[in-house]
C-alpha cells in the first residue's frame, strides 16, 4: 500500500460456538433433551448472564408433565464466592433468552445444587435457560463453569446430555449498559493498553436509539489503571455539538478506532463525523466531495497524558480522501503501531461506483501527516489489521 507494506488478504472465518452437532438423549415416551452453552463471558454488573440452555421435545400427543427440579454442577468454577445468585427461566418454544418466566432461583451457592420449581409442559418443544448473577467484587481473573447433569419431570430423573462446547466462561465487567448516563445504547467498542498499562476503551454513545449514523452520537472514553477492575467516570472525547447551525442529530460522530504510539505513548482515536443528511443513513447518504455537507469526515483526536485530557478533533479528510469517493471512514476498533514506527488505522471507503473497499490510513511522522493505502479488496468493509512476524500486514475484513 503506497510503498508501506505488502498486503496479504484472506476472508475471516467466524468459528461459532455450538458448531458441533448437539447430543440428544431420549427419555421415556419418546421425549428428547439437548443442551446448548453459548460461549460468552459472565459479566459483573449484569443481572442476567445466560450460560446454559436445555431444550426438551415431547411428542405432540404427550400428556401434560411437570418439570420439578434441575441439577446444577459448578465444580469447575474457580471460586463459588464470585456468584451471587443462579436463576432458571422458562422461555417456552423460544430459543432466545428472556428473563420473563422464572422457574426457580437460589443464592445458596455450592458445587452441586438441586434447584426446585414448577413448570407444566406438554407436546412440543420447550426451553429452559440457566442464568448467573455475579457479586460486584467478583475476580476478573476467575472463570465460571456450569453444567446441568439432569432434571426431574413428574418425579422421574431425566439425564441431560453435555453441551458441546461448554468451556469455563471468563468473568468480565459490564462497563457501559443500556440507558446508563441517559444514553440509550453503547456500541462499537475499541480497547487499547498504553505504555503505562492504562486501559483505554472507546465506544459510540448513541443517545436516542441503537441505529447507526446519522443520529445524535458522540464518542465516549473510559479509563482504567488497575487492569480493568475499576474504571474512572466516562468522558466524552468527540462531540460536534450543533456545528454549522445544525442539530446534534445532524452532527453525529462515531465508529471510533483507537491506537497507541509506542514511542511517545500518544493515544490516537479516529472517528467518522457526519454533517447534515437529515437523519438518513450515512452509508447511503454520503456523496462524492470533500466538504462536510457533501461527505463523511475523517476526524482524529489525541491524548498526550495517558488519556487524562484530549485534544480538539482534527479533520484530515482532505489529506486522505479521493473527492470522487462517496465515503471514507476508519475500521472501527483498534489500530496498530508497527515495528518501523508507522501508525496504522484500519479503514474503508466507497469508491466512485459506490463499491466498498477495506484499506488502511497511516502516518510515518508521529501523526503530523497521514496517507491512505490502495483498496485491499473490493466489496469488503469493516476491517482490522495486524503486523506479521515478517513485517507484512494482514487485513481481516468483513465482506
Amino acid at each position: 500500500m503506497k510503498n508501506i507494506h505488502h498486503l496479504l488478504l484472506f476472508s475471516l472465518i467466524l468459528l461459532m460456538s455450538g458448531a458441533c452437532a448437539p447430543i440428544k438423549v431420549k427419555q421415556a415416551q419418546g421425549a428428547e433433551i439437548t443442551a446448548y452453552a453459548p460461549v460468552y463471558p459472565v459479566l459483573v454488573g449484569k443481572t442476567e448472564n445466560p450460560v446454559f440452555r436445555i431444550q426438551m421435545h415431547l411428542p405432540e400427543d404427550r400428556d401434560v408433565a411437570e418439570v420439578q427440579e434441575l441439577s446444577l454442577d459448578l465444580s469447575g468454577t474457580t471460586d463459588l464466592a464470585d456468584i451471587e445468585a443462579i436463576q432458571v427461566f422458562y422461555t417456552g418454544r423460544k430459543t432466545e433468552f428472556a428473563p420473563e418466566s422464572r422457574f426457580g432461583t437460589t443464592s445458596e451457592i455450592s458445587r452441586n445444587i438441586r434447584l426446585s420449581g414448577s413448570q407444566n409442559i406438554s407436546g412440543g418443544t420447550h426451553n429452559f435457560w440457566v442464568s448467573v448473577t455475579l457479586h460486584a467484587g467478583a475476580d476478573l481473573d476467575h472463570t465460571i463453569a456450569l453444567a446441568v447433569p439432569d432434571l426431574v419431570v413428574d418425579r422421574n430423573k431425566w439425564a441431560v446430555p453435555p453441551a458441546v462446547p461448554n468451556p469455563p466462561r471468563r468473568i468480565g465487567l459490564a462497563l457501559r449498559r443500556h440507558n446508563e448516563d441517559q444514553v440509550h445504547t453503547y456500541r462499537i467498542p475499541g480497547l487499547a493498553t498504553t505504555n503505562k498499562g492504562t486501559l483505554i476503551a472507546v465506544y459510540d454513545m448513541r443517545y436516542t436509539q441503537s441505529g447507526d449514523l446519522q443520529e445524535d452520537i458522540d464518542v465516549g472514553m473510559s479509563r482504567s489503571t488497575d487492569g480493568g477492575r475499576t474504571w474512572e467516570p466516562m468522558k466524552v472525547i468527540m462531540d460536534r455539538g450543533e456545528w454549522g447551525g445544525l442539530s446534534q442529530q445532524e452532527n453525529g460522530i462515531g465508529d471510533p478506532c483507537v491506537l497507541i504510539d509506542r514511542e511517545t505513548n500518544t493515544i490516537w482515536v479516529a472517528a467518522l463525523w457526519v454533517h447534515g443528511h437529515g437523519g438518513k443513513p450515512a452509508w447511503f447518504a454520503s456523496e462524492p466531495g470533500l466538504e462536510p455537507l457533501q461527505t463523511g469526515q475523517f476526524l482524529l483526536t489525541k491524548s498526550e497524558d495517558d488519556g487524562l485530557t484530549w485534544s480538539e478533533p482534527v479533520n484530515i479528510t482532505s489529506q486522505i480522501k479521493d473527492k470522487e469517493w462517496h465515503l471514507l471512514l476508519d475500521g472501527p476498533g483498534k489500530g496498530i503501531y508497527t515495528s518501523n514506527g508507522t501508525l496504522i488505522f484500519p479503514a474503508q471507503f466507497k469508491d466512485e461506483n459506490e463499491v466498498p473497499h477495506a484499506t488502511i490510513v497511516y502516518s510515518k511522522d508521529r501523526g503530523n501527516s497521514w496517507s491512505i493505502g490502495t483498496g485491499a479488496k473490493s466489496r469488503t468493509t469493516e476491517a482490522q489489521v495486524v503486523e506479521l512476524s515478517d513485517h507484512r500486514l494482514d487485513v481481516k475484513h468483513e465482506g
Side-chain angles (χ1 to χ4, degrees), residues 3-19:
N3 301 318
I4 180 171
H5 287 289
H6 175 65
L7 186 64
L8 289 179
L9 299 172
F10 62 88
S11 296
L12 176 62
I13 300 175
L14 298 178
L15 299 177
M16 304 300 291
S17 63

Side-chain angles (χ1 to χ4, degrees), residues 63-99:
D63 293 335
V64 173
E66 181 187 21
V67 180
Q68 299 164 320
E69 189 176 87
L70 269 72
S71 174
L72 308 176
D73 180 2
L74 291 99
S75 57
T77 295
T78 307
D79 186 351
L80 296 177
D82 290 328
I83 301 176
E84 179 178 311
I86 294 178
Q87 301 179 86
V88 175
F89 295 93
Y90 172 68
T91 62
R93 285 163 172 74
K94 296 180 180 178
T95 57
E96 299 83 6
F97 174 75

Side-chain angles (χ1 to χ4, degrees), residues 342-397:
T342 303
L343 308 178
I344 299 180
F345 283 111
Q348 54 189 308
F349 65 87
K350 287 179 71 178
D351 66 18
E352 64 276 11
N353 298 312
E354 298 192 68
V355 175
H357 305 258
T359 187
I360 59 172
V361 169
Y362 63 93
S363 172
K364 289 191 169 186
D365 59 7
R366 313 260 69 81
N368 291 310
S369 63
W370 295 83
S371 302
I372 190 166
T374 56
K377 185 178 179 181
S378 64
R379 305 194 184 281
T380 57
T381 54
E382 296 180 352
Q384 295 293 275
V385 59
V386 295
E387 183 181 20
L388 303 178
S389 59
D390 60 4
H391 310 305
R392 291 178 295 171
L393 296 184
D394 204 346
V395 172
K396 298 177 176 67
H397 51 76

Side-chain angles (χ1 to χ4, degrees), residues 41-50 97 131-134 173-174 177:
V42 182
L43 300 180
V44 176
K46 281 190 66 176
T47 304
E48 290 91 24
N49 288 281
F97 174 75
S131 172
V132 173
T133 305
L134 299 178
L173 178 70
R177 287 166 287 184

Side-chain angles (χ1 to χ4, degrees), residues 129-244:
W129 278 95
V130 182
S131 172
V132 173
T133 305
L134 299 178
H135 285 291
D139 194 323
L140 299 186
D141 291 329
H142 291 172
T143 59
I144 304 295
L146 185 144
V148 180
D150 58 70
L151 51 81
V152 174
V153 179
D154 288 341
R155 300 184 181 181
N156 295 308
K157 184 181 291 187
W158 288 8
V160 176
V164 180
N166 186 18
R169 276 48 152 227
R170 291 295 302 269
I171 292 178
L173 178 70
L175 179 59
R176 297 276 91 195
R177 287 166 287 184
H178 173 57
N179 284 334
E180 190 172 16
D181 290 330
Q182 299 180 322
V183 175
H184 182 279
T185 299
Y186 296 90
R187 287 187 59 191
I188 322 300
L191 183 67
T193 306
T194 73
N195 293 353
K196 295 182 178 180
T198 301
L199 288 175
I200 302 293
V202 295
Y203 40 81
D204 275 8
M205 302 169 60
R206 302 188 174 192
Y207 289 99
T208 61
Q209 48 81 59
S210 62
D212 297 334
L213 294 165
Q214 176 69 291
E215 279 292 345
D216 184 4
I217 300 173
D218 294 337
V219 175
M221 187 277 305
S222 294
R223 181 176 183 269
S224 172
T225 58
D226 60 3
R229 286 167 173 78
T230 61
W231 293 79
E232 298 171 3
M234 176 184 66
K235 292 180 180 178
V236 179
I237 62 171
M238 301 180 87
D239 177 3
R240 303 306 286 163
E242 297 182 348
W243 193 92

